[in-house]
Amino acid sequence: MPEILSLLVRFSAATLLLYAGTRKLAEPRDFRLTLAALAVPGKGALAYAVPLLEIATAMMLAAMPWPMLTALMVGVLGLSFAGAGAIALLGGKNIGCACLGRSSRPLGVRQIAYLPLWGALAVLVLVDQSGLRAEQGLWTLAALALGLAVLAGLRVLPLARENHVFTRAVMNKDIS
């Protein structure tokens, strides 16, 4: 596989995982409800462990310091996502997916169907180790962090504007 394509796949997966993990930590309610509906043991610890593993895996995909560990982390996440989909399907439950934050889509076939993609990503990490190393990986992590900061800023901007309008309305009301 050409090096640029490998980097693009890894960077895309890293961005997705970083976004998913930070969303789960920033708004944990929906993910906790999903875990409760799945009736998995240790849901309190998993509410933090899964997003932290997603974030750590994103960083490993970007920097690639240890390909074997990175592939293992990708595989564990892929299997856990497919397992959640299987639990929902086998239980006949309509469980909301909190994969990327709030979602009205149910857990199920989609998570199972994505398992081969997670497996392919793990294999890619093991096979194509020609990508970024050391300082280049740190630049990639910085770019991921910057991209995430921009996304967060875009989400906060409308709230800041709304707050400004509300504050002005209250201030004008107090003056008159």
Side-chain angles (χ1 to χ4, degrees):
M1 172 180 281
E3 185 175 332
I4 189 70
L5 185 57
S6 172
L7 291 174
L8 182 63
V9 168
R10 285 190 4 229
F11 190 78
S12 297
T15 303
L16 177 74
L17 288 170
L18 187 61
Y19 180 77
T22 54
R23 288 292 307 228
K24 286 180 183 96
L25 289 175
E27 297 177 19
R29 182 182 173 275
D30 292 324
F31 186 54
R32 287 175 186 255
L33 290 173
T34 297
L35 291 173
L38 288 169
V40 294
K43 59 185 171 258
L46 283 176
Y48 293 103
V50 171
L52 291 174
L53 180 60
E54 288 174 332
I55 293 167
T57 304
M59 292 178 179
M60 296 288 277
L61 281 167
M64 285 287 287
W66 302 291
M68 185 70 78
L69 179 59
T70 305
L72 178 65
M73 293 166 74
V74 167
V76 166
L77 284 174
L79 287 171
S80 66
F81 300 154
I87 290 170
L89 280 178
L90 294 174
K93 299 177 181 179
N94 185 7
I95 300 173
C97 175
C99 305
L100 299 172
R102 288 188 193 164
S103 175
S104 58
R105 292 182 172 183
L107 281 173
V109 175
R110 194 166 25 109
Q111 285 71 30
I112 296 169
Y114 288 158
L115 182 57
L117 295 176
W118 291 110
L121 178 60
V123 169
L124 173 70
V125 165
L126 289 174
V127 171
D128 186 13
Q129 299 179 19
S130 63
L132 302 175
R133 292 284 186 247
E135 66 185 41
Q136 293 173 319
L138 293 176
W139 281 109
T140 304
L141 289 177
L144 278 174
L146 179 61
L148 194 59
V150 168
L151 283 175
L154 291 174
R155 289 186 56 87
V156 170
L157 191 59
L159 296 173
R161 286 185 183 144
E162 188 176 313
N163 184 44
H164 178 71
V165 169
F166 177 76
T167 303
R168 289 191 72 176
V170 168
M171 295 295 283
N172 288 338
K173 190 175 188 178
D174 286 343
I175 293 172
S176 28

